[in-house]
Amino acid sequence: MARIDFLRTAMKDITQTGSVWESSRFLIRKLLDPVDWASAETIIELGTGNGVITRAILERMNPDARLTAYEINPEFLELTRDRILGDSRCTLTDESAEYLEDLHPAGSVHAVISSLPFAIMDEALQESILRQIHLVLKPGGQYLQYQYAPTKYRMITRRFQRVRLDYTLLNIPPAFVYSCTK
Ligand SMILES: C[S@@+](CC[C@H](N)C(=O)[O-])C[C@H]1O[C@@H](n2cnc3c(N)ncnc32)[C@H](O)[C@@H]1O
């Protein structure tokens, strides 16, 4: 049901969603496995869609950890709200990821987990969001991002010195996962 909700909502504005199908459990595992869950207290998710990754983050998070989850599409925001079942560790916001630095002090975040569709976003906006992701992360903080083609490799490695690129065929479409450390 959640997958069909994703498809229906995505089709209304594919230029904002950048995908027609929610992430598979295989992609979610590749994206979330590199996170140091034992020490991650402050976590950000960018682009929740129907909340499939949000739910998986909450399953892995410490009881005392806090997640701020960003989603600009109101229908997706509601689908995420339904999926997190009132988990008080998660704050959902309809702010755009482009305002990260207004909401989080520099050097305050342990991990940023992003599904933002960089490939279809304005170039200046991509650069601005990536700069802010780097700014809000603590030294040693982690940035996880997936993409359907590794087109942002240079942009990401310019900002982050330690980057590992992984891949899974088991997603629609197959996806690349960047695991970066500040
Ligand atoms: C590819 S979908 C990923 C959905 C879900 N996380 C998943 O992996 O199945 C990207 C999501 O990013 C959201 N999005 C796009 N631009 C955004 C922005 N500037 N700030 C926050 N969310 C944004 C879209 O509305 C969409 O829900």
Side-chain angles (χ1 to χ4, degrees):
M1 187 60 189
R3 291 193 181 103
I4 299 303
D5 287 339
F6 188 97
L7 177 65
R8 194 182 307 122
T9 308
M11 290 310 284
K12 288 185 194 158
D13 191 353
I14 193 66
T15 60
Q16 184 185 76
T17 310
S19 166
V20 289
W21 210 242
E22 69 174 34
S23 290
S24 72
R25 64 179 194 281
F26 305 100
L27 172 55
I28 294 173
R29 210 177 296 141
K30 285 236 185 247
L31 189 68
L32 300 187
D33 274 359
V35 175
D36 180 0
W37 294 104
S39 65
E41 289 164 11
T42 309
I43 302 162
I44 290 174
E45 184 192 1
L46 302 177
T48 66
N50 67 2
V52 66
I53 296 179
T54 321
R55 186 71 252 152
I57 293 171
L58 289 166
E59 281 164 11
R60 287 163 172 79
M61 264 169 57
N62 276 327
D64 298 333
R66 290 286 172 269
L67 170 65
T68 307
Y70 288 73
E71 174 53 61
I72 52 173
N73 179 310
E75 284 183 49
F76 275 141
L77 201 63
E78 282 318 303
L79 293 174
T80 302
R81 206 181 300 286
D82 291 346
R83 206 138 185 185
I84 66 171
L85 301 171
D87 192 318
S88 60
R89 296 172 299 164
C90 179
T91 303
L92 273 179
T93 173
D94 62 359
E95 287 290 357
S96 166
E98 68 204 72
Y99 303 116
L100 265 188
E101 65 188 333
D102 298 340
L103 297 170
H104 306 273
S108 65
V109 174
H110 290 90
V112 176
I113 297 155
S114 167
S115 319
L116 290 178
F118 275 147
I120 57 168
M121 290 168 88
D122 173 83
E123 200 132 333
L125 182 60
Q126 298 167 32
E127 289 283 359
S128 166
I129 292 176
L130 193 61
R131 178 189 62 73
Q132 294 182 57
I133 289 171
H134 191 271
L135 178 81
V136 302
L137 279 172
K138 291 174 178 290
Q142 294 175 283
Y143 165 48
L144 293 308
Q145 170 81 50
Y146 75 78
Q147 263 211 294
Y148 302 126
T151 53
K152 298 299 159 195
Y153 185 79
R154 289 192 57 193
M155 180 179 86
I156 290 175
T157 50
R158 266 202 307 271
R159 189 71 63 179
F160 287 87
Q161 269 74 52
R162 284 183 283 165
V163 179
R164 200 162 56 81
L165 188 58
D166 203 348
Y167 180 70
T168 180
L169 284 170
L170 302 174
N171 189 67
I172 305 172
F176 292 84
V177 175
Y178 298 90
S179 170
C180 314
T181 306
K182 180 172 173 181

